Amino acid sequence: MKENMSTIAKRIGVSITTVSRVLSGNAAKYRISEDTARRVREEAARCNYAPSLVAQNLRNQQTRTVGLLTPSLSNPYFAEMASVIISEVHRRGYTTIVIDTMEDEDNFSEGLIQLLARQVDGIIAVPCGQDEKLVSDINRDYVPVMLVDRYYQGSPLPYVSTNNYKGGFDATNLLISSGHSRIACIQGVRTSAPNNERVRGYKDAMKQAGLEAMQLVAGNEFSIQNGYLETKLLLSRPERPTAIFALSNNITLGVLKAARETGMRIPSELSLLSFDNYSYMDYMEPPITRVSQPVEDMAMLATKILFDRIDGLSVSTSQLALSPTIIRGESVEKP
């Protein structure tokens, strides 16, 4: 017997419409229960039934693909974000085309063009650089674009990010309240809006505490090497800092390596506070105090907003900044 949606529907006791909606990735949209959706997918897989996606796409003018541009899959932060987005896209019956731009603005622009050539239905992007024109043109004239983590300051493009200013401000205040005044900040990419907001939070907290003259910001990459080299230089100063605020997990790893090589003990001789939260930080010696970003929530929200736009349910220009939290480890103490 030739398998089709009708035979599948009869065997598991649901309507043909329900089967169609599940196999086209619209179960969530039409509030079909996860149990029903699972039974439909399992029965379709058992009898090797595959709907003609090509024919569906020609009728719907959709490719059922979404593009994802990320600056570095070698960075656990962006790898985790990509994993959540891919899972959410797959749950909706779409495929994700992932492009690693390697933190390069030209690669980012080229990646956007490649995704358009593949006729994706929407794009989720962590942008590189400060020129938003190409992204804005694509969002306006071709397919919806949703930014996540990073964004263009002053732009109307929709995004979901962390309240990086609050994270930078609260982290610096924690170091100040612990008795530190010589606090160095090792930053990442200087064209990144989250980086600049974290630095702004650091500077405002120092200024509010009367420590404006002691502000010290160094670095230019969210990399282990940047954290390592800048820490080496900072610890060679006549008046070395008593605390370092590292603006990413990778920078933190570089700080730890440089401190160990220099013979500086953390936290008795050097306090360390990191931006980004990973479970491995609890297993370091000492466990690292850090600012935790709601990565999963950001990724899920960005995906939801994009699909609302793809499905014509919204023309959202949402710009959301989710609150970070500080997780206390044992890497901060009085100088």
Side-chain angles (χ1 to χ4, degrees):
M1 180 177 67
K2 184 178 179 180
E3 294 293 349
N4 54 40
M5 292 188 189
S6 176
T7 58
I8 292 172
K10 286 179 181 178
R11 277 200 296 273
I12 61 177
V14 298
S15 68
I16 297 174
T17 301
T18 296
V19 174
S20 174
R21 286 172 174 174
V22 170
L23 296 183
S24 63
N26 289 313
K29 177 181 176 181
Y30 291 102
R31 300 183 179 180
I32 297 171
S33 74
E34 182 55 38
D35 179 67
T36 299
R38 177 184 55 77
R39 289 192 295 120
V40 170
R41 288 192 293 266
E42 287 178 352
E43 181 60 19
R46 188 193 66 77
C47 62
N48 295 317
Y49 174 75
S52 175
L53 292 179
V54 173
Q56 287 182 16
N57 293 337
L58 287 174
R59 288 195 300 270
N60 300 332
Q61 294 297 302
Q62 288 185 318
T63 59
R64 303 196 71 77
T65 56
V66 166
L68 172 61
L69 290 160
T70 180
S72 175
L73 285 173
S74 64
N75 185 325
Y77 173 78
F78 292 116
E80 179 184 358
M81 180 172 288
S83 177
V84 175
I85 290 171
I86 292 168
S87 176
E88 287 296 295
V89 169
H90 181 264
R91 189 171 66 83
R92 290 169 168 84
Y94 280 62
T95 299
T96 309
I97 299 175
V98 183
I99 295 179
D100 189 330
T101 63
M102 296 175 282
E103 202 68 80
D104 182 272
E105 190 169 359
D106 290 336
N107 288 346
F108 178 74
S109 298
E110 183 181 338
L112 287 169
I113 299 302
Q114 289 176 357
L115 291 175
L116 280 185
R118 286 166 173 74
Q119 298 181 311
V120 296
D121 298 324
I123 296 172
I124 299 175
V126 182
C128 295
Q130 296 177 302
D131 187 358
E132 65 166 299
K133 186 177 187 309
L134 180 59
V135 181
S136 294
D137 289 348
I138 291 172
N139 182 65
R140 183 186 65 243
D141 300 330
Y142 295 97
V143 297
V145 179
M146 185 68 201
L147 305 181
V148 64
D149 181 64
R150 301 180 189 174
Y151 51 92
Y152 298 104
Q153 290 176 306
S155 166
L157 285 165
Y159 66 77
V160 180
S161 185
T162 300
N163 188 334
N164 289 281
Y165 174 83
K166 175 177 170 56
F169 187 86
D170 290 350
T172 307
N173 269 337
L174 190 154
L175 291 170
I176 293 170
S177 66
S178 298
H180 293 275
S181 56
R182 296 201 303 274
I183 303 168
C185 172
I186 302 181
Q187 66 176 338
V189 178
R190 297 179 187 181
T191 57
S192 159
N195 177 79
N196 294 337
E197 285 297 284
R198 293 170 196 175
V199 171
R200 187 168 71 89
Y202 159 81
K203 288 183 175 180
D204 281 359
M206 293 288 281
K207 182 177 180 180
Q208 189 178 91
L211 301 173
E212 186 173 10
M214 303 186 73
Q215 292 175 5
L216 178 56
V217 180
N220 59 4
E221 289 182 350
F222 290 115
S223 67
I224 296 174
Q225 184 183 42
N226 178 49
Y228 174 78
L229 294 176
E230 294 298 342
T231 301
K232 282 283 194 177
L233 292 171
L234 288 167
L235 296 182
S236 67
R237 295 166 68 97
E239 283 202 349
R240 64 168 183 81
T242 61
I244 290 178
F245 179 23
L247 296 196
S248 81
N249 57 314
N250 277 345
I251 294 173
T252 297
L253 293 176
V255 174
L256 288 167
K257 183 175 188 292
R260 184 173 62 249
E261 289 182 0
T262 311
M264 300 294 296
R265 291 172 298 177
I266 296 175
S268 59
E269 296 176 294
L270 177 70
S271 285
L272 173 61
L273 198 154
S274 175
F275 219 101
D276 293 334
N277 172 40
Y278 292 96
S279 58
Y280 67 73
M281 290 188 173
D282 284 326
Y283 298 94
M284 290 180 165
E285 186 57 43
I288 305 299
T289 297
R290 65 268 192 188
V291 179
S292 175
Q293 300 192 73
V295 181
E296 184 174 357
D297 290 344
M298 281 195 289
M300 293 180 72
L301 263 174
T303 308
K304 181 187 185 310
I305 293 171
L306 179 74
F307 273 95
D308 282 350
R309 296 176 66 198
I310 289 174
D311 294 336
L313 302 177
S314 169
V315 290
S316 174
T317 56
S318 300
Q319 296 183 331
L320 306 176
L322 309 185
S323 290
T325 56
I326 291 182
I327 296 177
R328 298 295 295 264
E330 299 173 9
S331 61
V332 175
E333 68 176 33
K334 291 183 179 181

